Amino acid sequence: MTPDGALSLLELNGIVAEMVDNHLNHDYWVVAELAEVHERGGHCYIDLVEKDQRSNTPVARAQARCWRNRWMLVRTHFERSTGQPFAAGIKVMLKVRAQFHENYGFAWIVTDVNPSFTMGDLALRRQEILRTLEAEGVINDNKRLPFPLFAQRVAVVSSEGAAGYGDFRHQLLLNDYGMRFWVTLFPSVMQGEGVSQGVIQALDAINERIDDFDVVVIIRGGGAVSDMSGFDTLDLARHVANFPLPVITGIGHDRDECVLDMVAHMRVKTPTAAASFLVEHLKRVAEHITEMQQIITGRVGSTLEKERMRLLRLSSVIPQQVGMALMKERNRLGQMNVRMENALNNNILLHRHALELLSQKVLPAAKRHLTEQRHHLDMFSQRVAALDPENTLKRGYSITLHNGHALTDASLLRPGDIVTTRLAKGSIISEVKS
C-alpha cells in the first residue's frame, strides 16, 4: 500500500512519460560522439557523449536506442555512404525523439542518421593527419622513392587465406608473359578492430628483412566497406610514409582515398590491379631492355662496318705510305751517315794537329825538367855524403853507444854499465867506474 499523498514509482514514471509525450513530441537532430555501440536481438543500444574541445572531458551523456525495424536501414545507409562502421569513436548526426518507459526509463530513440556530417568529420580527421605528416616533412617521402626497375621480390601484407591475396598471387605468378616473381606473405588483420596495429606489425617485420624485397603491397579483398576506418590512422600513415621501400595499396574500394592511399607510393583499386601493375611494369622494363639491346646491336654493327671500310681504305694506303716513309728515312740516314763521317774526319784532323803541337812543346820542357831534377839529385847526394857518420868518424870523432843507442848524456849511466865507443876503425868496449 502507498501512504496517503505519496505516489508509487510506476505512477511517477507514468506522469513523466505523459509529460514527455506531450512536450517532447518532436524529432530532433543531435550531434554527438558514439561512446559505446552494442547490438542485441537486432536492436542497437548506444551511449552518446559530448566532450569539451579543449580538455576532451565529457560534458554531457545520454542513452539512445535504435529498434530493429529501423536499425538495419540506419546502419546500411550510414556505412554505404561513409565507408565507415557505425562504431565507437566517431561523431554522428542522429535524428532522435524522446521516449520515457515506465520500466526502462528515459532514452532517445534513433530514427535516422545524416552520413554527410560524419563524412565531413572523417574528412576533417584525415586532413588533420595529413597536416601532421606535412608538418613532419614526411607526407610525400614514400612517393619520392624511385620505383625499382626489377620489382620482383614482393612483400605482401594481407590476411592469410583471403580471396584477395589468392587472386593477387595467382595473377602475379601465372602471368601471361612468364615474368618471374617471388612473393612473401606477412599476415595481418585487414578488417575490424586491430587493422592499423596489425599492418604496422607486418611492416616492422618486413623492415627487419628489408634487403630481401623490392616493393611492399598492402592488399585487402572481400571485406566490408565499413571496415576502412583502420586505414585512416596517424600511426599507420606515418609508418607507410617513412617506409624505405615503395608501398602499393590495393585495399578494394572505389570511394574517396583513405589516408593510407594518400601517403603510399601508389594506389590501385584492387589486389588484382596491384598484380597487373607489377606485371606490366616488369613487362615494360623487359621491352625497354630488348629495345635498347636492338639499338645497341644496330649501332655496334654499324660501327663495325664503318671500321671495316676504314681498315680497307687504310690497307690500300698504308703500303704506299710505308714505302715513302722508308725511302725518306733511308735518305735521312744516308745524309746523317755522310755528316757523321765528315764530322769524325774533321775531329780526327783537329786532334792530330793538337797532338803535334803538344809534342813540340812537351819534349823541350821534359828535357829541361830532367836536367833540373838531375841537378837536384846531385845536390842531395852531396848533402847526404856530408852527413854520413862514417865521414864524421874519419875526421877523428867517435860515437858512444849504450844498449845499442847513441849516448848523449853521461848522467844516464851508472857504475858497472858497459858502453861501446865506435871509431873510424874499430870499437872500444868500456865499463863505467864512476
Side-chain angles (χ1 to χ4, degrees), residues 71-358:
W71 168 236
M72 294 302 295
L73 296 175
V74 168
R75 183 182 67 179
T76 302
H77 177 49
F78 178 85
E79 292 182 350
R80 284 181 177 175
S81 299
T82 64
Q84 303 293 321
F86 192 88
I90 62 175
K91 284 186 177 181
V92 293
M93 178 183 286
L94 302 175
K95 180 182 280 190
V96 298
R97 58 180 173 82
Q99 184 184 72
F100 188 89
H101 193 277
E102 288 83 349
N103 286 335
Y104 303 111
F106 181 85
W108 293 104
I109 305 303
V110 177
T111 60
D112 202 356
V113 64
N114 183 358
S116 298
F117 172 82
T118 302
M119 291 171 65
D121 183 66
L122 293 174
L124 289 175
R125 288 173 57 186
R126 289 175 180 172
Q127 290 302 319
E128 182 62 30
I129 292 174
L130 295 175
R131 279 194 296 268
T132 300
L133 295 176
E134 188 169 3
E136 294 175 358
V138 300
I139 189 169
N140 292 317
D141 281 4
N142 198 262
K143 295 182 184 296
R144 294 191 185 103
L145 293 175
F147 200 83
L149 287 178
F150 303 96
Q152 297 173 277
R153 302 174 301 166
V154 185
V156 180
V157 179
S158 182
S159 55
E160 194 169 7
Y165 171 64
D167 293 341
F168 171 84
R169 184 179 177 85
H170 180 270
Q171 183 158 342
L172 192 67
L173 299 183
L174 301 178
N175 62 84
D176 296 335
Y177 310 108
M179 303 293 180
R180 297 188 63 185
F181 293 89
W182 293 267
V183 178
T184 303
L185 175 65
F186 291 82
S188 171
V189 175
M190 300 302 286
Q191 58 185 2
E193 296 183 1
V195 170
S196 177
Q197 191 58 35
V199 175
I200 289 173
Q201 290 176 356
L203 290 174
D204 290 340
I206 296 171
N207 194 46
E208 292 178 358
R209 299 172 51 189
I210 198 69
D211 294 333
D212 295 338
F213 304 105
D214 304 311
V215 65
V216 176
V217 177
I218 301 175
I219 54 176
R220 167 187 179 273
V225 175
S226 61
D227 288 327
M228 297 302 300
S229 59
F231 301 103
D232 278 327
T233 67
L234 177 60
D235 286 343
L236 178 56
R238 186 180 282 131
H239 265 73
V240 171
N242 286 291
F243 206 73
L245 292 178
V247 177
I248 300 174
T249 59
I251 53 181
H253 65 103
D254 296 324
R255 299 183 181 277
D256 294 338
E257 292 179 310
C258 63
V259 174
L260 180 64
D261 292 327
M262 296 177 185
V263 299
H265 190 279
M266 176 177 295
R267 174 232 178 176
V268 295
K269 291 183 179 181
T270 62
T272 53
S276 296
F277 169 77
L278 291 174
V279 171
E280 290 300 321
H281 171 75
L282 193 59
K283 176 176 173 288
R284 287 193 300 271
V285 171
E287 290 174 347
H288 182 69
I289 291 174
T290 301
E291 181 181 353
M292 291 297 102
Q293 182 180 9
Q294 293 173 351
I295 292 174
I296 291 172
T297 302
R299 289 182 179 178
V300 169
S302 175
T303 302
L304 289 175
E305 181 62 22
K306 289 180 181 178
E307 290 301 312
R308 189 180 69 82
M309 296 301 295
R310 189 173 69 89
L311 288 174
L312 287 175
R313 289 194 301 270
L314 289 175
S315 63
S316 62
V317 172
I318 286 175
Q320 181 180 357
Q321 292 181 343
V322 168
M324 293 176 62
L326 289 175
M327 184 179 296
K328 185 184 294 183
E329 288 299 314
R330 189 178 294 110
N331 293 333
R332 188 174 67 85
L333 289 174
Q335 293 172 1
M336 289 180 62
N337 186 42
V338 172
R339 286 197 299 269
M340 290 178 64
E341 185 177 353
N342 293 334
L344 181 60
N345 292 331
N346 291 335
N347 197 21
I348 291 172
L349 291 174
L350 289 174
H351 282 81
R352 181 180 292 118
H353 179 67
L355 287 174
E356 291 176 353
L357 292 176
L358 285 174

